[in-house]
Amino acid sequence: MIKLKDIEDFGFLTVEVDKDIDLVAEIKKMCTDKNAVIMGHYYQTGDIQDIAHFIGDSLALAQEAAKTTADIILFSGVHFMAETAKILCPEKKVLLPDMKAGCSLADSCPPEEFKKFRELYPERTVISYVNTTAEIKALTDIICTSSNALQIVNSLPENEKIIFAPDRNLGNYIKSQTERDIIIWDGACHVHEEFSLERILEIKKDNPDAKIIAHPECQKPVLLVSDFIGSTAALLKYVQNDKENKYIVATESGILHQMIKACPDKTFIAAPPKDSTCGCNDCNFMKLNTIEKIYKALKYEQPELLMDEDIRKKAEIPIRKMLQISFKLGL
Ligand code: 13P
Ligand code: SF4
């Protein structure tokens, strides 16, 4: 039974809470009473993944948010994901357990600079990764995720020139897979940039039977030695269908929880970062969410994600385009 450990870090509210309550049972009860749904990304801790009503990668979460009938969406992920849910469901209450759960990739694309960059190339179609702020989405023609980026690019007429933002690694990977004319914003995710090729190859030397699988946000040298490259959902599907038994996984370590659950007899090794004091690679933003914070967020219906309606309306257009293209392509 998980119990409430403290009440001091709630920030906006100080309350007396019975410390002997069963948090998971209370969360489940509140979800039923309030018609709330918990959506969680694969990079959440295992205990959160296990209580979420829906877990998935960025594409699946956006698709699910677009069709949920819940009154409250508690988004256990990072700010841009909760924002995407709010953009798609403006009438619903969207809660993010910790408003400090940001994203280094989204931060690497400031709206004012991106606006100027876009103005340099007015003839180009802007495809932005979902890992962006609502302001960037409002400056975008079509959103994509790592699950559908290549298909979104290829869905455009062959002579259409493209700006891809903000992830340089995903952008360069997509560029290597297509003949399209693409220029790329120079942003990156601190987690995926940190994987150490040297340490991955050392592990591979000790485990020659292990396959290396990587998220396309990783740097090119890591992608070049990988046996398979894909979004978190694609990596999970791959290990389930592949006949090998051991994998070195180069993405945030939260996904290992689902891999172990789906394939209990297989071995998964988290690819190590360059900093050798740490054995895994966690996104410090994703890991800000905890069961305690989810409990408090549901109980007090705070912190609530609110946004400017003008930005929301503009940001909704490219997200809906992505959902339409993905639907047509069966993604
Ligand atoms: P996907 O969910 O598209 O695999 O992206 C991974 C990621 O970095 C989410 O923050
Ligand atoms: Fe952002 Fe990277 Fe964390 Fe994903 S893993 S939320 S891209 S910082």
Side-chain angles (χ1 to χ4, degrees), residues 50-70:
D50 290 344
I51 59 154
H53 298 97
F54 185 84
I55 61 161
D57 69 351
S58 308
L59 176 62
L61 288 165
Q63 288 168 327
E64 190 62 23
K67 64 179 189 215
T68 185
T69 54

Side-chain angles (χ1 to χ4, degrees), residues 158-191:
E158 264 175 38
N159 58 350
E160 202 150 325
K161 295 180 174 179
I162 295 164
I163 291 176
F164 188 91
D167 190 69
R168 58 177 172 243
N169 297 319
L170 176 63
N172 280 315
Y173 172 67
I174 298 299
K175 204 170 166 172
S176 74
Q177 303 293 304
T178 176
E179 300 291 302
R180 305 304 173 108
D181 178 342
I182 306 177
I183 54 171
I184 300 164
W185 179 264
D186 193 21
C189 153
H190 73 294
V191 177

Side-chain angles (χ1 to χ4, degrees), residues 39 102 136 139 183 221 223 323 330-331:
M39 295 192 188
I136 296 296
L139 294 166
I183 54 171
L223 298 182
L323 292 175
L331 298 169

Side-chain angles (χ1 to χ4, degrees), residues 41 43 78 80-81 102-106 129 131 167 188-192 217 252 282-286:
H41 189 270
Y43 294 166
V78 291
F80 76 80
M81 295 179 174
C103 169
S104 57
L105 178 53
Y129 195 23
N131 301 34
D167 190 69
C189 153
H190 73 294
V191 177
H192 289 89
E217 285 174 29
E252 213 268 4
D282 281 339
C283 172
N284 48 338
F285 296 114
M286 285 278 184

Side-chain angles (χ1 to χ4, degrees), residues 58 78-84 87 103-111 114 126-140 142-144 164-167 185 307 315 318-319:
S58 308
V78 291
H79 193 273
F80 76 80
M81 295 179 174
E83 215 171 43
T84 302
I87 292 166
C103 169
S104 57
L105 178 53
D107 289 347
S108 69
C109 193
F114 186 69
V126 180
I127 300 182
S128 293
Y129 195 23
V130 71
N131 301 34
T132 45
T133 59
E135 286 81 2
I136 296 296
K137 289 185 175 81
L139 294 166
T140 292
I142 314 174
I143 293 296
C144 72
F164 188 91
D167 190 69
W185 179 264
M307 63 191 307
I319 301 176

